[in-house]
Amino acid sequence: SGFFGALCAMAGRVYSLEEVKQHDKESDAWVVFKGDVFDVTKFIKEHPGGSSIVVPHLGTDISEAFVDDDIHVHSRSAHDIIKRYKIGEIGDGSSKKSTQIVKEEKKGKELDFTKPIIFQVGTMGTDYIEYIHKPQALDEPARFFEYDFFRILLQDTVVRGAAVWGPIILYIAYHCLADLKMSGSSLGYYFVAGLFVWTLIEYVLHRFIFHLDELMQHNYWTITLHFVLHGVHHLLPMDPMRLVLPPIFAAAFAIPIIGTLQLILGHETTMGLATGGLTGYVLYDICHYYLHHCGRPSLAYFRDLKTYHLAHHYDNYHLAYGITNKLWDYVFFTVLPIRATTKIS
């Protein structure tokens, strides 16, 4: 109670604009929004649109900039995310009315992030899907288990993912050349074909497995499985430890896919395609991480992809299933139209 009491006391403090202006650096960042004062120091680097959008406005009143679509389009979730950084008010705190209205809204079940969350999420029932699709931001990666030992099971990084799959890809390529006597040109053909096949697998997994959504929320165990595979990423899209599927789960998808292709296409063709397909998966992981954490991409292609993918998270999760490309969204009519004002330019 002492900790939360201190937070409440801090959130009730009154500041002047002159005090806020002194906190205009990335290492000490305050802003004013609708009469409330927020310390966004820990959030700047995790801002979905990149820190470059936020930095010019530090130490100022962002009430007009926040709703200016020419600067950056904020989703409804942005209004919820910023609330957790409130440290006080300006002057007489005239924004209390709007805050009180939000507080009085009916809320469903929520996760307590001060405790391990893996055993909480399955109890959410029909509140689950609506809850995970209201993105949140935490200052540290979410804790799934009480003990750190178990973290390796449910979190991973791009580097570790590449370290696991890289040697496997090299071994399969060696197997194709040395054991199957495949020519370099043939392997190159299969590699490119495998990359293309991966783009379809990426789309199918994302749309038809990871987004079963409503079908998964009526049972404790299916909710928990969905949360581990993809739900946690939608709830905490900027959590760097929840972007890469741990190898044990990735293998659970890869082995049946490769086994099925072997039955249909034979061993040689499948192994050749696997070199490109698995490489495509590693590149997908890298691209996915880049879109979430790169700030403003230097290449127009990735700026467009970043806008598109963030719209999937913050605007409409029923569309925009492609991450590395939009090809299959066009083919299957799941393209999410992006207004010109929402684009990261």
Side-chain angles (χ1 to χ4, degrees):
S1 59
F3 172 74
F4 289 105
L7 282 181
C8 292
M10 182 178 292
R13 286 191 59 181
V14 177
Y15 299 92
S16 69
L17 284 173
E18 290 302 317
E19 287 181 281
V20 174
K21 288 179 181 178
Q22 297 173 18
H23 303 272
D24 60 352
K25 303 177 181 63
E26 286 193 57
S27 59
D28 181 20
W30 291 12
V31 295
V32 177
F33 179 59
K34 293 186 177 180
D36 291 329
V37 180
F38 302 88
D39 182 348
V40 295
T41 306
K42 294 182 177 181
F43 179 67
I44 288 178
K45 292 183 179 179
E46 300 305 321
H47 185 274
S51 61
S52 61
I53 294 174
V54 183
V55 171
H57 303 283
L58 297 180
T60 70
D61 188 330
I62 64 168
S63 298
E64 293 185 7
F66 194 89
V67 296
D68 187 343
D69 288 353
D70 289 332
I71 296 176
H72 180 68
V73 176
H74 285 100
S75 67
R76 287 170 293 181
S77 299
H79 294 264
D80 294 324
I81 290 173
I82 196 173
K83 290 175 192 170
R84 69 187 303 269
Y85 297 101
K86 180 180 175 180
I87 59 172
E89 299 174 347
I90 288 291
D92 61 1
S94 59
S95 64
K96 285 185 178 178
K97 286 187 178 180
S98 62
T99 303
Q100 185 63 31
I101 291 173
V102 174
K103 286 182 178 178
E104 289 176 352
E105 289 179 354
K106 183 179 179 181
K107 289 186 177 181
K109 294 180 181 179
E110 297 183 346
L111 298 180
D112 181 355
F113 289 106
T114 65
K115 301 175 182 178
I117 62 176
I118 190 63
F119 301 114
Q120 298 180 52
V121 67
T123 65
M124 299 190 75
T126 54
D127 291 326
Y128 169 70
I129 292 300
E130 182 180 1
Y131 179 71
I132 64 167
H133 289 300
K134 292 180 179 178
Q136 300 185 38
L138 300 180
D139 297 331
E140 297 179 355
R143 185 162 57 105
F144 268 52
F145 295 101
E146 183 70 33
Y147 302 104
D148 291 345
F149 172 78
F150 294 105
R151 283 186 180 182
I152 193 172
L153 295 176
L154 297 181
Q155 68 180 38
D156 209 347
T157 65
V158 172
V159 173
R160 283 207 297 260
V164 169
W165 293 107
I168 294 174
I169 294 168
L170 290 175
Y171 172 77
I172 295 175
Y174 172 80
H175 173 61
C176 290
L177 295 172
D179 300 329
L180 301 180
K181 307 302 180 183
M182 192 180 295
S183 66
S185 59
S186 295
L187 181 58
Y189 165 78
Y190 283 125
F191 180 84
V192 173
L195 285 174
F196 180 75
V197 170
W198 163 255
T199 64
L200 178 59
I201 293 174
E202 171 192 311
Y203 178 90
V204 169
L205 288 178
H206 192 189
R207 179 179 179 182
F208 296 108
I209 303 297
F210 296 156
H211 276 281
L212 286 173
D213 288 356
E214 283 80 4
L215 297 177
M216 304 288 282
Q217 70 174 351
H218 301 289
N219 176 280
Y220 177 94
W221 295 108
T222 55
I223 289 174
T224 302
L225 176 63
H226 182 272
F227 187 72
V228 169
L229 291 179
H230 199 60
V232 64
H233 177 53
H234 271 266
L235 178 64
L236 304 169
M238 300 306 290
D239 188 332
M241 303 303 292
R242 308 296 169 190
L243 282 166
V244 178
L245 202 62
I248 187 171
F249 289 104
F253 287 106
I255 291 173
I257 291 173
I258 291 175
T260 301
L261 289 177
Q262 289 219 76
L263 291 175
I264 298 173
L265 303 176
H267 182 69
E268 180 175 330
T269 299
T270 299
M271 290 297 99
L273 291 174
T275 61
L278 292 176
T279 300
Y281 171 66
V282 173
L283 294 177
Y284 152 82
D285 274 344
I286 294 171
C287 179
H288 193 197
Y289 183 89
Y290 182 69
L291 297 182
H292 278 274
H293 295 283
C294 68
R296 179 185 182 276
S298 56
L299 297 179
Y301 177 78
F302 290 107
R303 286 200 298 273
D304 181 59
L305 273 186
K306 181 181 178 77
T307 300
Y308 189 68
H309 184 58
L310 292 184
H312 169 76
H313 279 282
Y314 294 94
D315 186 12
N316 187 346
Y317 64 91
H318 293 295
L319 298 172
Y321 296 106
I323 288 94
T324 60
N325 66 89
K326 303 178 185 179
L327 172 62
W328 300 106
D329 278 319
Y330 281 108
V331 172
F332 295 112
F333 306 104
T334 54
V335 173
L336 176 57
I338 303 295
R339 288 180 297 155
T341 52
T342 67
K343 294 184 177 180
I344 298 173
S345 56

